[in-house]
Amino acid sequence: MTVEPLSASDVVSRLRAAGCVFAEDEAELILGTAVGPAQVASMVERRAAGLPLEHVLGWAGFHGLKVAVDPGVFVPRRRTEILVGEALAAADGSRPLVVVDLCCGSGALGAALAAALPGAELHAADIEPAAVACARRNVAPYGGRVYEGDLFDPLPDGLRGRVDILTANVPYVPSDEVGLLPVEAREHEPLVALDGGSDGLDIMRRVALAAPDWLAPGGILLTETSERQVPGALAAMSAGGLRARLVTSDELYANVVTGVRE
């Protein structure tokens, strides 16, 4: 069946009618990604139905990369790019580094770090099978390996004491606030990637306590949190025996807590 092509103005009108605030920008991305009128129509229909734009497109822009994002996989946020910047600022450029990305989702953080650190040994892990499959595609160009399991559990034991950069974009939304998230997140991203427990810091505490066993001397753990959770996140880093530090970005509305193994 022949599908009547939608003009750019048609796409914008349909997206705007569905409540898309940035309809013009989204229309441009859809028209630049779709192959043929039928795919344009399908993508517009799915976006108008409330699917995240990145799931509709099949990719997200992250730190200069085009990262594949499959349906049901956590969408990388632009604010999380601050983790990459801080990790690179702390990196020792004199040798290849060992990088581990926990709660990796699509693998965006690991891929961005590996792209910027030639020769890096990259490992990533996530508990969600869909995320693991997606991340494997994104880190494959850098020789990265992705494991399925809970936090450190699936990592090779040989990584203990060797990790230079450990990113952990853990879920940090308090359980009773998950219902307040935008519909796109609530209905199309896995709950395990959003719910951080009663105060949002349950997973972060587990990571901070276990991290010293995996970090090399001078190795750094980086994690994102909310402004009001900063005191608790800093305390968790200190409880794990790490030297804690806060980094903020007003532009990205981001808060990153780092912990260095002395």
Side-chain angles (χ1 to χ4, degrees):
M1 183 177 70
T2 302
V3 176
E4 190 71 23
L6 293 173
S7 68
S9 60
D10 288 336
V11 174
V12 170
S13 296
R14 295 191 184 188
L15 293 177
R16 187 177 291 127
C20 298
V21 177
F22 302 104
E24 290 82 1
D25 295 335
E26 294 191 11
E28 184 177 351
L29 289 169
I30 288 174
L31 290 168
T33 300
V35 179
Q39 191 172 31
V40 170
S42 173
M43 292 172 77
V44 170
E45 181 180 354
R46 284 182 286 147
R47 179 60 180 138
L51 269 71
L53 177 64
E54 295 80 3
H55 288 167
V56 172
L57 297 174
W59 60 272
F62 186 82
H63 207 264
L65 300 181
K66 197 172 184 177
V67 177
V69 182
D70 295 336
V73 174
F74 182 80
V75 176
R77 275 51 164 177
R78 181 170 175 263
R79 65 173 179 268
T80 307
E81 292 180 357
I82 190 176
L83 284 174
V84 180
E86 289 303 310
L88 294 177
D92 177 0
S94 65
R95 59 183 176 83
L97 301 179
V98 177
V99 176
V100 170
D101 181 15
L102 291 185
C103 303
C104 69
S106 65
L109 275 170
L113 287 170
L117 297 169
E121 179 185 339
L122 172 62
H123 301 264
D126 200 286
I127 200 169
E128 271 285 313
V132 171
C134 185
R136 281 176 176 156
R137 301 207 319 276
N138 284 318
V139 306
Y142 311 102
R145 300 180 63 186
V146 186
Y147 313 90
E148 182 181 332
D150 184 32
L151 300 180
F152 297 94
D153 289 352
L155 296 180
D157 202 56
L159 287 175
R160 289 181 182 274
R162 295 183 53 232
V163 180
D164 298 296
I165 297 174
L166 172 59
T167 58
N169 190 25
V170 301
Y172 59 89
V173 179
S175 298
D176 61 3
E177 295 180 18
V178 171
L180 304 178
L181 290 173
V183 174
E184 290 181 9
R186 293 199 318 267
E187 295 189 357
H188 301 288
E189 293 181 320
L191 181 62
V192 72
L194 303 171
D195 190 339
S198 59
D199 67 351
L201 293 174
D202 285 1
I203 312 302
M204 191 265 174
R205 291 189 187 96
R206 291 177 56 203
V207 172
L209 285 173
D213 289 338
W214 296 85
L215 289 171
I220 186 170
L221 164 63
L222 306 100
T223 188
E224 184 181 318
T225 192
S226 71
E227 184 176 3
R228 67 181 166 137
Q229 292 169 322
V230 164
L234 289 169
M237 289 287 188
S238 298
L242 302 172
R243 176 163 45 88
R245 173 173 171 258
L246 170 66
V247 180
T248 62
S249 169
D250 292 335
E251 177 190 358
L252 296 175
Y253 194 63
N255 300 275
V256 171
V257 173
T258 69
V260 175
R261 178 188 167 192
E262 303 287 7

